[in-house]
Amino acid sequence: HNILNDPFYHKDLDDQDIKFPDILPPNDLTYHLGDVLCEIFYSTLKVLTDELTYARYRAVEYFTPENAEKYKNAVRVGENLAGIYKVHMVKRLESSFEAFRKSLGNLRRVTQGMIDMLEADKVIIAPDLKVKELQDKGIELDEIIERGIEKFGIEKEDFVYPKFAFKPEFIEDLKFDIVTLDNLIVQWSKVSVDPKLDRFVEYLQSQIFNKKENPTGKLVVFSESKDTIAYLERELKTRLGRKDILSV
């Protein structure tokens, strides 16, 4: 736009016979959830934004005063992390139901992981150690702690805390989140329809691959979610009966 409005550059383009293609404006593609699914969707949004505590990502916020001294702005840090994860969950719900179901399972797993650490009296606060990933691999807490000592060259007491280092509300909020997530997981496991995908497939078949609309027969689909892309690749190959779909 700026180049075309500048006389010098415009003349240069004309001299070289270079033309920019005219880009069509974006078109909305509206899909309808239906009454039942709409109720589930918006009640879930309310749970994600108003009810879940995201305590797993606010651990430093629950430190007792004497343990919170070395964590400056602990409350703000906890709130920021929880806020980021809250936005993440909402975006996953809007991306695809498949991606959201995976995120529900992931959040439940890491929340349970924190409960396990509290009950074992060994809570590891070391972001660089990637504790969640190590727990997922089934590595015992003591081995994770040993790795931390080797990696940081510091004493165990500097990054491993006992249960009493945290306020009682910590375990309470974690367990509340587990119950809340379990309810959502059950609810969404019963959702077998996907009107967003149905509308997209309909649009692909009726317009996108129409020779007049798309002479090249090519299409690029973008998504912020890797899980949504994998889901689309699988479903479109099945529904469209095509093998020429590449996921990157």
Side-chain angles (χ1 to χ4, degrees), residues 30-237:
T30 303
Y31 62 97
H32 300 279
L33 293 173
D35 292 343
V36 175
L37 196 51
C38 192
E39 172 60 31
I40 295 172
F41 186 91
Y42 283 105
S43 65
T44 298
L45 272 180
K46 186 176 188 307
V47 173
L48 296 178
T49 56
D50 298 335
E51 296 179 22
L52 277 173
T53 72
Y54 301 94
R56 172 62 183 83
Y57 294 95
R58 296 166 50 210
V60 295
E61 191 179 334
Y62 290 92
F63 270 130
T64 56
E66 59 272 21
N67 289 288
E69 289 180 358
K70 70 177 184 178
Y71 289 94
K72 294 180 180 179
N73 303 316
V75 172
R76 184 170 60 82
V77 170
E79 288 176 347
N80 286 345
L81 283 173
I84 289 169
Y85 210 86
K86 183 185 296 185
V87 170
H88 164 75
M89 292 297 288
V90 171
K91 289 169 80 172
R92 294 281 284 184
L93 175 61
E94 292 176 338
S95 180
S96 69
F97 297 161
E98 176 77 1
F100 181 61
R101 277 189 280 261
K102 287 184 179 293
S103 285
L104 285 176
N106 290 340
L107 183 54
R108 191 208 186 281
R109 191 179 67 254
V110 299
T111 301
Q112 184 61 53
M114 179 58 80
I115 292 174
D116 293 343
M117 286 195 289
L118 279 166
E119 292 179 344
D121 215 27
K122 300 170 184 175
V123 180
I124 302 169
I125 305 294
D128 294 337
L129 195 52
K130 298 182 179 179
V131 177
K132 297 191 296 293
E133 288 86 343
L134 295 174
Q135 281 183 302
D136 285 345
K137 293 177 181 177
I139 298 174
E140 296 292 332
L141 283 178
D142 287 335
E143 184 179 341
I144 296 175
I145 292 168
E146 287 302 317
R147 291 189 183 194
I149 293 171
E150 291 176 9
K151 180 172 183 177
F152 304 121
I154 57 179
E155 295 298 320
K156 171 181 171 181
E157 290 73 18
D158 290 327
F159 68 98
V160 182
Y161 296 87
K163 186 176 181 178
F164 67 77
F166 301 87
K167 299 171 186 174
E169 301 94 87
F170 190 27
I171 190 76
E172 293 169 7
D173 286 351
L174 288 166
K175 289 183 176 179
F176 171 83
D177 280 359
I178 287 289
V179 172
T180 305
L181 288 166
D182 281 343
N183 289 335
L184 286 177
I185 289 169
V186 169
Q187 192 174 37
W188 281 94
S189 70
K190 297 177 181 176
V191 175
S192 57
V193 295
D194 189 343
K196 184 176 184 180
L197 178 62
D198 292 341
R199 184 73 181 92
F200 184 48
V201 170
E202 178 190 325
Y203 191 65
L204 290 177
Q205 293 173 322
S206 63
Q207 283 187 264
I208 289 294
F209 290 124
N210 183 306
K211 289 293 184 183
K212 292 182 180 179
E213 296 277 344
N214 181 5
T216 66
K218 297 178 181 179
L219 175 68
V220 180
V221 180
F222 293 94
S223 174
E224 189 176 11
S225 165
K226 180 180 177 181
D227 291 321
T228 295
I229 287 295
Y231 171 62
L232 281 175
E233 180 187 18
R234 183 177 72 246
E235 289 294 318
L236 293 180
K237 282 180 176 178

Side-chain angles (χ1 to χ4, degrees), residues 2-16:
N2 290 335
I3 290 175
L4 292 177
N5 287 333
D6 185 289
F8 175 80
Y9 287 115
H10 200 298
K11 181 178 183 306
D12 185 55
L13 291 174
D14 288 340
D15 291 344
Q16 298 184 67

